């Protein structure tokens, strides 16, 4: 979304804008991680370490609440998705910056990461038995349920892609219209709304990913109890 000059566009004029700002989001996260790494303290953490410990602790509690204690094995994946999407979302609130998540290529890439990780973990956990997740509650229904389940799982990619993309574009346009209509009255409420949308959309994407992961790692049963 480009209504004015962008700060980083001149640094890589031949690279798509959403790619440049994706790199910037990655650089921010890597920079924070390195800053915490080189200032580690075993007692009374301060500064960046204190901030990141609070964030990671909150994410861990969130994951455990949704997936149970086993969810901590996937904290690195889920936490990375949440923080990356959040940084990308927040960039759109800074003048001269752009939200990579307001570009469908970025949201599609994130959806594919979620989709691939879900089924990779499912296959790693269950081996060939993972196919039971697509067969329905009994073998007799398997020929009918298999195509339905496959379509349902592939539809998750489209759902994740367009949900995040659509909400970020809609937020951007809404904030732009409100700023034009009331430039001296609306800025603070507009920024508050933008912050809320940024956090909510990052949370929704990672919440859905956790639900998909939970489904892939649970046991599937055929011929009796439904998975």
């Amino acid at each position: 979304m480009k209504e004015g000059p962008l700060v980083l566009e001149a640094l890589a004029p031949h690279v798509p804008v959403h790619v440049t700002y994706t790199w910037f989001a990655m650089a921010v996260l890597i920079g924070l991680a390195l800053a915490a790494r080189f200032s580690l303290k075993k007692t009374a953490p301060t500064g960046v370490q204190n901030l990141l410990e609070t964030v990671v602790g909150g994410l861990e509690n969130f994951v455990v609440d949704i997936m149970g204690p086993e969810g901590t094995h996937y904290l690195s994946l889920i936490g990375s998705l949440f923080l990356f999407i959040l940084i990308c979302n927040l960039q759109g609130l800074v003048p001269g910056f752009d939200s990579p998540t307001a570009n469908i290529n970025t949201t599609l890439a994130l959806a594919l990461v979620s989709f691939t990780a879900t089924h990779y973990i499912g296959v790693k956990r269950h081996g060939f038995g993972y196919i039971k997740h697509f067969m329905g509650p009994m073998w007799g229904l398997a020929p009918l349920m298999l195509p339905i389940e496959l379509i349902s799982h592939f539809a998750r990619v489209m759902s994740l892609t367009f949900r995040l993309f659509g909400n970020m574009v809609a937020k951007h346009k809404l904030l732009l219209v409100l700023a034009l209509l009331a430039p001296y009255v609306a800025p603070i409420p507009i920024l508050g709304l933008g912050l809320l949308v940024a956090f909510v959309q990052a949370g929704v994407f990672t919440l859905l990913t956790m639900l998909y992961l939970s489904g892939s790692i649970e046991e599937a049963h055929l011929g009796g109890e439904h998975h």
Side-chain angles (χ1 to χ4, degrees):
M1 308 310 297
K2 181 180 175 182
E3 281 76 23
L6 299 176
V7 173
L8 300 182
E9 188 174 13
L11 297 179
H14 302 297
V15 177
V17 170
H18 71 279
V19 175
T20 304
Y21 282 90
T22 296
W23 292 344
F24 179 78
M26 294 166 57
V28 169
L29 291 175
I30 293 171
L32 287 172
L34 291 176
R37 170 64 182 84
F38 292 117
S39 62
L40 283 178
K41 296 179 181 178
K42 294 184 178 180
T43 58
T46 59
V48 177
Q49 181 186 351
N50 194 30
L51 170 64
L52 291 184
E53 284 189 4
T54 302
V55 171
V56 172
L59 285 172
E60 183 176 11
N61 292 334
F62 181 47
V63 170
V64 171
D65 287 343
I66 301 299
M67 300 181 65
E70 191 173 7
T72 55
H73 298 300
Y74 312 106
L75 177 61
S76 57
L77 168 66
I78 295 165
S80 297
L81 279 174
F82 176 82
L83 292 174
F84 176 75
I85 294 171
L86 179 61
I87 295 295
C88 288
N89 291 350
L90 292 175
Q91 285 181 162
L93 299 176
V94 180
F97 281 71
D98 190 44
S99 290
T101 44
N103 185 289
I104 198 169
N105 295 290
T106 304
T107 58
L108 175 59
L110 291 167
L112 289 173
V113 168
S114 174
F115 177 83
T116 304
T118 296
H119 295 294
Y120 170 77
I121 290 169
V123 171
K124 185 178 179 180
R125 169 64 68 88
H126 303 291
F128 184 74
Y130 183 60
I131 193 66
K132 293 179 182 178
H133 285 78
F134 303 90
M135 294 299 187
M138 58 185 66
W139 284 112
L141 292 177
L144 174 64
M145 295 302 299
L146 179 59
I148 294 176
E149 288 289 338
L150 289 175
I151 292 172
S152 172
H153 280 256
F154 280 107
R156 293 176 178 179
V157 176
M158 305 304 294
S159 174
L160 290 172
T161 298
F162 285 103
R163 178 182 288 107
L164 181 57
F165 167 70
N167 278 285
M168 295 311 300
V169 171
K171 180 267 297 182
H172 184 88
K173 293 298 185 183
L174 176 61
L175 299 185
L176 180 64
V177 170
L178 291 175
L180 291 174
L181 292 176
Y184 302 107
V185 177
I188 293 179
I190 288 175
L191 288 175
L193 176 61
L195 284 171
L196 176 63
V197 172
F199 276 91
V200 167
Q201 291 308 314
V204 167
F205 191 100
T206 49
L207 174 61
L208 291 173
T209 298
M210 283 189 284
L211 294 176
Y212 298 154
L213 283 172
S214 296
S216 72
I217 62 179
E218 70 178 4
E219 292 289 341
H221 303 277
L222 278 170
E225 183 183 354
H226 190 5
H227 66 80

